[in-house]
Amino acid sequence: MPLKVYNSLTRQKETFTPINAPYVGMYVCGPTVSGESHLGHARPYVTFDILYRYLNYHGYKVRYVRNLTDAGHFEEEGREAEDKISKKAVLEKLEPMELVQKYTNLYHWAMALLNNLPPSIEPTATGHIIEQIEMIKKIIADGYAYEANGSVYFDVEKYNTDYSKKNQPYGILSGRVLEDQLDTTRELDNQDEKRNRSDFALWKNAPPEHIMRWQSPWGEGFPGWHIECSAMSTKYLGDEFDIHGGGMDLQFPHHECEIAQSTVCNHKMPARYWMHNNMITINGRKMGKSYNNVIKLSELFSGSHPILEQAYHPMTIRFFILQSHYRGTLDFSNEALQASEKAFKRLWEVFDWLSQWVVPQTQAASDIELDAKVKKLVNEFDEFMDDDLSTPKVLANMFELSSVINSIKDKHIAGDALSSVTVGLLQTQMRLFIEDIFGLKGDRSDNSGKLDGVLQLLIDIRKEAKRRKDFVTSDKIRNELATLGVQLKDEKDGEMSYTIG
RNA sequence: GGUCCUGUGGCCGAGUGGCUAGGCAAAGCUCUGCAAAAGCUUCUACAGCGGUUCGAAUCCGCUCGGGACCUCCA
């Protein structure tokens, strides 16, 4: 089955065909490292991590490029650049590199906890100033940009006129018609330098207080926001590559501008498939800095935000994101996250048991119907993922399978109901999708073996106590362990198991 | 004003015109020394009004509600 993805450019699902199989080039807009990542940021990175993993699973050799925006109008959250520049002491001055390092570290930390695979290349905007300048020169030479007071602007009007003839007007991605755009009176610096309101900056002249600045043919300044992605995607993926991803809020103007810039420079639409994840909302509203309603990932992991009823494990967040389709909005609430936490725990326990379940090698299915049903549910994993990454449907099937597996575990269903072949398929595919493709991982981690030994000892003592009907002792062990965060469970067969956390 | 998305049961969320989404919560039962877990069962839906159709949550129209974007905010 071929993979189909929804292409924002054509507004429909399309079969994914790489330009140069088995190689796949994928560019995803990364964060601006002038602040901490919040829950909303987690979504694109998890979504495209799943896509990256799934493409790998399909056998493609993927070059995944995700940038770090570390240039531009830079200052630390809530602190004015002017304040800093006036300080005399070196150590009190805002050092851009320090800021960038701090937030890059935090971002990487969060990505690792969410178990996102690192991209193949993670280029920085500041590391590609030369490429950006070269690109701007080219655009000027072609007549689609002009200089004004040390800044360079892209001539959207001209581009739109010329490229409309080539069926690629400005606004093709977001479905906007230039003439229809309202002349909103948003106040921006040096707005009067532009020939038209719709023009956007390729290079900005840096005022004296601006802390980040580079030499350019147009004087000291810094690159516009959009040009970095065009420069870096072209450099690492070529004039035309397969997938360009990012949040829906970047569709306009960011991606639209990228298309215009790259098309002028390379004479090609930069990417074939444009994919956009939807927003995470809170109380029905987009989570974003401008709404002042963000919950940072570090706060989520530690529970240190007034709105949070508890801390949430990074895997709970990942699972929460997978439970909805990436093109729909996803609403945050404590209730929803707690539901995800429980659901994930249940799935993981089933998976844990399944992994070590051994059946006789040549076992035939005693329940043909159930055997067929299980096979069907498992085989649908691929089918659903191929259909524009329908992770929630795959999870739904996993939960249906969980009921079957638990029933077998608890002996409500015979152990030989499924054939050894089906069990093998189930084990293989569950592991593949849960761990490799969904990137979920459990907590059987910091178990050095010593802890396990101690717990086994307590379990033995408790078993002995129960045998003597000494429930005071057995309950004491269970209850005290519970307060320490260790749950003991009496299994059907008289065995006991434990879970931590 | 423009472009687009959206309104599913207590909550979150799938839903490709006809066939159970799923998870969490709630209730009952089974199991259990008691729990927990698990299994089984049950419950509350498709914003409203029209239309197309043998049949619509799903297509069309209108109304109402919510949201995103509209140029350097990433």
Side-chain angles (χ1 to χ4, degrees):
Chain A
M1 273 269 288
L3 170 63
K4 284 188 165 188
V5 296
Y6 182 87
N7 189 348
S8 305
L9 189 62
T10 56
R11 275 156 256 262
Q12 59 188 12
K13 282 184 199 170
E14 293 177 355
T15 300
F16 176 69
T17 314
I19 296 165
N20 186 23
Y23 300 98
V24 171
M26 174 161 91
Y27 188 91
V28 174
C29 292
T32 298
V33 281
S34 65
E36 248 191 278
S37 300
H38 58 73
L39 176 60
H41 292 130
R43 193 146 196 219
Y45 307 131
V46 169
T47 298
F48 290 104
D49 183 59
I50 301 292
L51 178 59
Y52 178 44
R53 290 166 178 269
Y54 196 61
L55 289 168
N56 280 322
Y57 161 70
H58 264 263
Y60 294 120
K61 302 202 181 310
V62 187
R63 179 178 292 168
Y64 174 20
V65 181
R66 190 181 63 203
N67 68 298
L68 289 171
T69 298
D70 60 348
H73 186 71
F74 249 66
E75 50 191 69
E76 194 162 12
E77 288 176 326
R79 295 163 85 177
E80 295 297 324
E82 288 78 8
D83 291 346
K84 308 306 294 180
I85 214 84
S86 63
K87 299 265 163 99
K88 290 270 163 56
V90 173
L91 284 174
E92 283 181 44
K93 268 203 304 204
L94 181 61
E95 193 57 63
M97 199 65 208
E98 189 177 9
L99 197 108
V100 161
Q101 191 68 59
K102 173 181 165 186
Y103 289 116
T104 301
N105 289 346
L106 273 169
Y107 166 69
H108 284 152
W109 167 78
M111 290 303 107
L113 284 176
L114 287 169
N115 205 25
N116 285 331
L117 297 171
S120 325
I121 301 177
E122 191 170 53
T124 59
T126 56
H128 298 77
I129 298 291
I130 291 170
E131 286 84 349
Q132 295 177 72
I133 289 175
E134 288 306 309
M135 204 160 186
I136 295 167
K137 281 184 184 166
K138 216 166 156 185
I139 298 171
I140 294 175
D142 275 3
Y144 288 98
Y146 55 91
E147 190 197 337
N149 299 331
S151 292
V152 180
Y153 295 96
F154 190 93
D155 192 340
V156 171
E157 198 77 36
K158 179 172 162 58
Y159 173 85
N160 186 53
T161 306
D162 293 356
Y163 281 82
S164 286
K165 294 168 194 157
K166 299 172 187 172
N167 282 325
Q168 200 182 301
Y170 182 78
I172 189 172
L173 179 67
S174 54
R176 279 157 217 271
V177 179
L178 195 54
E179 295 79 44
D180 289 349
Q181 294 304 302
L182 186 71
D183 260 2
T184 45
T185 49
R186 181 166 173 180
E187 274 317 311
L188 299 166
D189 290 344
N190 308 320
Q191 195 67 270
D192 49 333
E193 291 176 358
K194 298 185 188 177
R195 289 181 191 165
N196 287 292
R197 183 167 291 279
S198 52
D199 294 350
F200 58 89
L202 294 171
W203 187 266
K204 285 289 278 183
N205 177 32
E209 71 275 14
H210 204 278
I211 53 173
M212 281 192 144
R213 50 209 304 137
W214 289 268
Q215 271 304 332
S216 82
W218 316 285
E220 271 196 12
F222 59 99
W225 170 36
H226 313 301
I227 194 71
E228 62 170 279
C229 286
S230 286
M232 295 189 284
S233 62
T234 304
K235 173 159 183 171
Y236 297 111
L237 300 173
D239 295 348
E240 191 186 21
F241 52 93
D242 297 293
I243 299 169
H244 193 305
M248 240 172 211
D249 52 348
L250 297 181
Q251 209 175 56
F252 189 91
H254 185 54
H255 292 160
E256 211 70 75
C257 296
E258 270 188 71
I259 290 175
Q261 296 160 350
S262 293
T263 304
V264 167
C265 283
N266 306 325
H267 312 292
K268 274 177 187 160
M269 169 67 78
R272 287 260 190 101
Y273 303 90
W274 289 81
M275 295 176 69
H276 295 97
N277 63 277
N278 214 320
M279 302 292 104
I280 288 187
T281 57
I282 176 163
N283 296 322
R285 242 213 140 104
K286 173 189 170 185
M287 188 178 284
K289 217 154 92 179
S290 44
Y291 294 119
N292 218 3
N293 63 357
V294 302
I295 304 171
K296 293 170 184 169
L297 287 170
S298 59
E299 294 171 332
L300 224 33
F301 299 162
S302 67
S304 61
H305 187 285
I307 207 170
L308 299 175
E309 285 167 13
Q310 60 168 89
Y312 296 99
H313 193 275
M315 280 305 115
T316 301
I317 308 295
R318 192 174 177 97
F319 187 86
F320 174 63
I321 290 171
L322 292 177
Q323 266 185 311
S324 70
H325 189 264
Y326 75 91
R327 280 191 292 114
T329 53
L330 173 57
D331 201 53
F332 164 88
S333 67
N334 279 289
E335 221 180 338
L337 275 183
Q338 282 157 16
S340 292
E341 183 179 82
K342 288 194 176 179
F344 175 58
K345 185 167 180 258
R346 175 156 167 242
L347 180 67
W348 196 266
E349 280 174 17
V350 168
F351 175 53
D352 243 357
W353 185 84
L354 176 70
S355 304
Q356 47 88 60
W357 182 27
V358 181
V359 293
Q361 280 210 343
T362 54
Q363 178 169 292
S366 68
D367 188 337
I368 308 286
E369 211 172 299
L370 185 69
D371 191 81
K373 183 186 164 191
V374 167
K375 265 190 203 155
K376 176 170 174 283
L377 288 170
V378 171
N379 288 328
E380 279 172 346
F381 290 176
D382 283 273
E383 193 182 308
F384 292 156
M385 283 301 283
D386 283 340
D387 183 19
D388 197 29
L389 310 177
S390 293
T391 54
K393 287 173 130 186
V394 175
L395 285 176
N397 274 21
M398 285 181 176
F399 279 104
E400 286 203 51
L401 288 164
S402 294
S403 292
V404 176
I405 295 165
N406 273 330
S407 291
I408 292 172
K409 177 187 167 197
D410 288 351
K411 302 190 167 51
H412 294 132
I413 293 177
D416 65 353
L418 307 177
S419 73
S420 49
V421 175
T422 302
V423 172
L425 177 78
L426 183 61
Q427 288 174 323
T428 310
Q429 294 303 96
M430 285 285 272
R431 199 205 63 72
L432 180 72
F433 277 78
I434 291 179
E435 292 194 320
D436 294 354
I437 295 172
F438 284 0
L440 294 167
K441 59 181 181 185
D443 243 358
R444 41 187 166 187
S445 51
D446 45 18
N447 212 333
S448 56
K450 285 182 188 166
L451 178 61
D452 186 63
V454 171
L455 284 165
Q456 284 307 330
L457 176 64
L458 285 166
I459 283 172
D460 285 345
I461 293 170
R462 182 157 177 274
K463 274 187 192 167
E464 183 52 40
K466 277 186 73 173
R467 205 168 297 130
R468 294 195 315 267
K469 301 236 189 287
D470 176 7
F471 298 124
V472 175
T473 303
S474 78
D475 285 357
K476 182 178 180 181
I477 291 171
R478 189 174 66 195
N479 295 341
E480 302 265 314
L481 282 176
T483 50
L484 293 171
V486 180
Q487 277 76 42
L488 281 191
K489 273 196 274 184
D490 294 347
E491 302 290 349
K492 299 282 175 197
D493 47 15
E495 286 303 310
M496 291 175 202
S497 64
Y498 68 88
T499 50
I500 302 171

